[in-house]
Amino acid sequence: MSNTANTVLDFQSAPVNPRGQPTSELAHTEYDDDKKFNSEDITVPVTSSVSRGRDEMDMELVPTEEDLLTLRKVAAPLPWAGVAMCLIEFAERASYYGCRGPFNNFINRPLPVGGNGAGAVAPGAAGLNQSAGALGRGSVTATALVQMFNFLAYVMPIIGGIVSDTKWGRFKTIVIGTAVGGLAHIILVIPAIPSIISNPDGSLAAFIISILVLAGAAGFIKPCLGPLLCDQSPVRHPTLKVLPSGERVIVDPTTTVQRYLLVFYWCINVGSFFAVATTYSARLVGFWLAFLLPGIIYLMMPVVLVMVSKKLYKAPPQGSVVVEVGKVFGRLLADGGWKRMWKGGDAFWDRARPSVIAEQEGGLDVTKVFWDDKFVDEIRQTLNACAVFALIPIFTLGNGGIGNSANSMSGAMTLNGVPNDLIDKFNPLAIIIFAPILNFGLYPLFAHYGRPIKPMTRMAIGFLLACFSDIIAAIVQWRIYALSACGYYASTCATVTPVSIWLQIPIIMVPAVGELFVNVTSYELAYTRSPARMKALVYALALFNSAVAAAISLACSKAIQDPYLIYPWIALACATFLCSILFPTYFKHLNIPMTEFADKDRMAGNDQPQAILDKKARGDEDM
């Protein structure tokens, strides 16, 4: 066999276990209640990259197999560079949600009678039950444009993820996205100027341009910030630690990522709560101020980026990684392989393993097969995670309803001076309250007693919370129709019902807590189960679920209006309940924790066959 083939075999991964999990996972009894401890159930990582990492560690800190099965797992502390990433996400989301919050009213509702011409309501008692408005294009147009914005803001990250992984790297992609976002904020103020609002067609055109540019900026920033935060984790392998109390614990990479992402999601929602300020600004002053304030907050981003740049670990971009994925699937599907695709199994995936190819062909041309065995395993585990992602749009729709249904509901309720879109802000408020409770209370408590809440259990809980809120929403909407002077046409009625706007709080807050179980877990799966060299792209695929939900809302926008506003809530309640059953049953295999997923050598491409050959050619044998 050629030297090239031997090189690849030296760096191959162990066989994938029958459940389709990579060799870097451990069958952990706390994640499999049906089995008792058996050392034969353990799959020990044997890849060279893992060996190098462990050789560098004090062997006294390396947990044994029994330690991994019995000791409590804790998170590593968040370094300053990670805190900076959270500050950037706070500023970016404050600007994003601060702008998006008033979008519905800006497009949907006309200028209030007696207002100042900038969109604010009339002063005094005349404006008590008015809502801010500007263009008066109606609910259908508002739903279409807002959902288009949502769709693009979560489709563009796929492009941003590809560019990040292949060309620019995560940090540079964020910097460029920040510059594009700054331009978007400048443009957005223009359609909100009173003299421009008086020309609705011109205002709408400028508004559409601004949201397209803003969605593009989010596409560069969103897929990179979360992975860049997780890249800063100081723990790459499970490590033993003795606490001051004398308890022996394992500082665990997966637990660390889970905690980091919960903090990250908390910062997202602290930022999104800034929409309260923009909502009141639109109501009391006008939309020009509502769109200006987020741009001011946005200025924090470039400042923090400059301050933290030299302190970050920046995984280098890998120009060929997307091509490699295509080549791997080309091997898998060639010669009738697509017929065996649905069966899966080792036989299907072996078709793309360089070690198997080298054995079958008597050698390996690394110019054509330029990946290693473990990369095939990483793609396999990524597809397992993406199967879960496909269900998340149902949760996203259940979290607030399809299209403009929640906003239409609020338009028929008694406001008593409360902006009709203020209630939406109870979503981030719920997350701000409950994220620390989960992060530092509930999750550690269950882990302390040896019963950590499994990833698929978390997903099921989140979907059940959405189901409960959808049932409440259907009942409230039914009550509105029953009490409205216009019957089943309440949302366009000249008079509001006596149903208070505050009844929307559980519809907003309950599924918001579900986001902590569903969305954060999906980000965790995306980071820990993606190939080391394409984490931004897989993270973008997790975000893409919101785009799918927006597309569904867009497609249904004409149907989401009176007199049919009850039925979407009922349909969502049924769908979220059925999905909640699938996670702890069909997707139970994803409860098995990952232990190796962010090796710096693999992230830098040092384990690629050609890179190994280049090292040997230079006489570098310390591999």
Side-chain angles (χ1 to χ4, degrees):
M1 190 177 294
S2 68
N3 181 58
T4 303
N6 285 329
T7 300
V8 174
L9 286 172
D10 287 343
F11 283 81
Q12 67 179 293
S13 62
V16 177
N17 67 52
R19 301 186 69 178
Q21 301 306 308
T23 57
S24 60
E25 296 182 8
L26 295 173
H28 202 305
T29 53
E30 70 184 44
Y31 286 86
D32 194 343
D33 299 331
D34 300 327
K35 294 183 179 181
K36 297 195 180 291
F37 172 73
N38 186 339
S39 61
E40 294 180 356
D41 290 337
I42 300 174
T43 306
V44 181
V46 296
T47 62
S48 61
S49 62
V50 174
S51 299
R52 283 198 303 275
R54 290 180 180 275
D55 288 343
E56 295 169 359
M57 298 167 59
D58 184 341
M59 293 307 296
E60 293 183 357
L61 301 180
V62 178
T64 65
E65 296 171 2
E66 184 177 358
D67 289 336
L68 290 167
L69 292 167
T70 58
L71 297 183
R72 182 166 64 94
K73 295 177 176 62
V74 300
L78 182 64
W80 154 241
V83 174
M85 292 301 97
C86 291
L87 288 174
I88 292 171
E89 181 67 355
F90 157 75
E92 193 273 336
R93 290 290 92 181
S95 72
Y96 176 88
Y97 285 109
C99 290
R100 199 187 74 170
F103 280 178
N104 261 314
N105 280 344
F106 181 78
I107 305 165
N108 182 9
R109 302 183 183 280
L111 287 169
V113 177
N116 61 3
V121 301
L128 192 62
N129 282 309
Q130 287 183 332
S131 295
L135 303 183
R137 295 303 177 109
S139 175
V140 172
T141 301
T143 296
L145 287 177
V146 172
Q147 294 306 326
M148 179 193 72
F149 173 70
N150 291 341
F151 179 78
L152 290 175
Y154 288 98
V155 168
M156 293 299 293
I158 294 179
I159 297 175
I162 292 173
V163 171
S164 169
D165 286 335
T166 60
K167 298 296 182 184
W168 293 344
R170 296 194 246 289
F171 183 78
K172 183 178 179 181
T173 305
I174 292 170
V175 170
I176 293 174
T178 300
V180 174
L183 176 63
H185 280 288
I186 294 173
I187 299 174
L188 183 58
V189 177
I190 295 174
I193 297 172
S195 60
I196 304 297
I197 291 177
S198 64
N199 177 12
D201 290 340
S203 177
L204 183 63
F207 176 79
I208 291 173
I209 292 172
S210 69
I211 64 175
L212 290 175
V213 178
L214 188 60
F220 286 116
I221 298 170
K222 282 295 289 180
C224 300
L225 263 178
L228 187 59
L229 165 65
C230 296
D231 288 347
Q232 309 315 309
S233 171
V235 56
R236 302 281 167 169
H237 311 281
T239 307
L240 282 175
K241 179 180 180 180
V242 180
L243 299 180
S245 63
E247 179 188 6
R248 295 171 70 245
V249 297
I250 294 175
V251 183
D252 180 58
T254 301
T255 305
T256 299
V257 166
Q258 179 193 79
R259 174 159 293 184
Y260 284 11
L261 289 174
L262 272 169
V263 173
F264 187 73
Y265 205 74
W266 182 83
C267 290
I268 289 174
N269 286 276
V270 172
S272 67
F273 201 68
F274 183 71
V276 173
T278 60
T279 296
Y280 271 102
S281 296
R283 179 177 177 81
L284 301 177
V285 179
F287 286 101
W288 66 268
L289 181 61
F291 294 154
L292 176 63
L293 291 177
I296 295 173
I297 295 293
Y298 193 83
L299 295 176
M300 181 189 299
M301 291 181 61
V303 174
V304 177
L305 285 170
V306 170
M307 292 175 57
V308 78
S309 176
K310 295 182 180 180
K311 300 183 187 311
L312 289 171
Y313 165 71
K314 304 170 186 174
Q318 303 292 313
S320 66
V321 66
V322 175
V323 176
E324 287 177 54
V325 174
K327 293 287 187 180
V328 168
F329 277 102
R331 286 273 182 173
L332 292 171
L333 303 179
D335 302 323
W338 61 272
K339 297 178 181 177
R340 295 182 290 273
M341 178 174 60
W342 303 111
K343 295 181 181 179
D346 290 347
F348 174 75
W349 292 97
D350 283 346
R351 294 165 58 87
R353 297 185 194 282
S355 59
V356 175
I357 295 171
E359 184 176 351
Q360 292 174 345
E361 299 180 1
L364 193 70
D365 183 353
V366 295
T367 63
K368 295 181 179 179
V369 182
F370 40 87
W371 58 89
D372 61 1
D373 280 13
K374 188 171 181 180
F375 186 66
V376 179
D377 294 342
E378 290 173 331
I379 294 175
R380 186 177 183 178
Q381 71 196 33
T382 298
L383 289 180
N384 285 331
C386 287
V388 170
F389 297 165
L391 296 179
I392 296 179
I394 297 174
F395 170 81
T396 304
L397 292 171
N399 180 12
I402 300 175
N404 212 30
S405 53
N407 192 265
S408 296
M409 178 192 293
S410 67
M413 304 174 85
T414 300
L415 301 180
N416 289 325
V418 178
N420 71 310
D421 50 358
L422 176 68
I423 297 297
D424 290 344
K425 310 314 175 287
F426 281 88
N427 175 290
L429 179 62
I431 293 171
I432 291 169
I433 294 171
F434 283 95
I437 294 173
L438 293 182
N439 212 359
F440 303 105
L442 189 66
Y443 286 167
L445 178 65
F446 275 78
H448 179 76
Y449 289 102
R451 305 295 299 181
I453 301 177
K454 310 170 190 178
M456 293 303 100
T457 301
R458 286 181 247 147
M459 299 290 280
I461 292 171
F463 272 72
L464 287 174
L465 289 172
C467 174
F468 180 66
S469 72
D470 293 337
I471 292 172
I472 296 174
I475 295 172
V476 172
Q477 185 62 59
W478 166 79
R479 187 64 178 162
I480 289 172
Y481 281 155
L483 296 177
S484 174
C486 300
Y488 281 81
Y489 293 87
S491 66
T492 56
C493 192
T495 59
V496 298
T497 67
V499 180
S500 172
I501 188 70
W502 299 111
L503 285 180
Q504 279 200 333
I505 289 180
I507 300 171
I508 301 299
M509 294 191 73
V510 171
V513 178
E515 290 182 36
L516 294 169
F517 293 101
V518 174
N519 292 350
V520 176
T521 301
S522 72
Y523 301 159
E524 177 188 331
L525 292 173
Y527 187 81
T528 60
R529 294 178 180 271
S530 59
R533 295 179 295 123
M534 54 185 298
K535 292 192 177 296
L537 175 55
V538 178
Y539 194 90
L541 293 177
L543 296 172
F544 180 68
N545 301 301
S546 295
V548 174
I552 294 172
S553 288
L554 189 60
C556 298
S557 59
K558 289 188 177 180
I560 307 303
Q561 54 186 320
D562 292 330
Y564 309 113
L565 292 177
I566 297 176
Y567 305 115
W569 297 110
I570 296 174
L572 288 171
C574 295
T576 50
F577 177 77
L578 291 175
C579 287
S580 70
I581 299 173
L582 291 176
F583 293 110
T585 54
Y586 184 77
F587 294 108
K588 186 178 181 180
H589 59 280
L590 292 177
N591 282 328
I592 301 173
M594 302 291 295
T595 58
E596 310 287 352
F597 49 81
D599 185 274
K600 288 186 177 181
D601 280 321
R602 292 197 63 76
M603 294 174 77
N606 295 334
D607 285 350
Q608 296 304 99
Q610 187 60 55
I612 296 169
L613 288 176
D614 291 343
K615 285 184 179 181
K616 286 193 172 183
R618 295 192 304 266
D620 185 0
E621 300 293 342
D622 62 343
M623 302 181 296

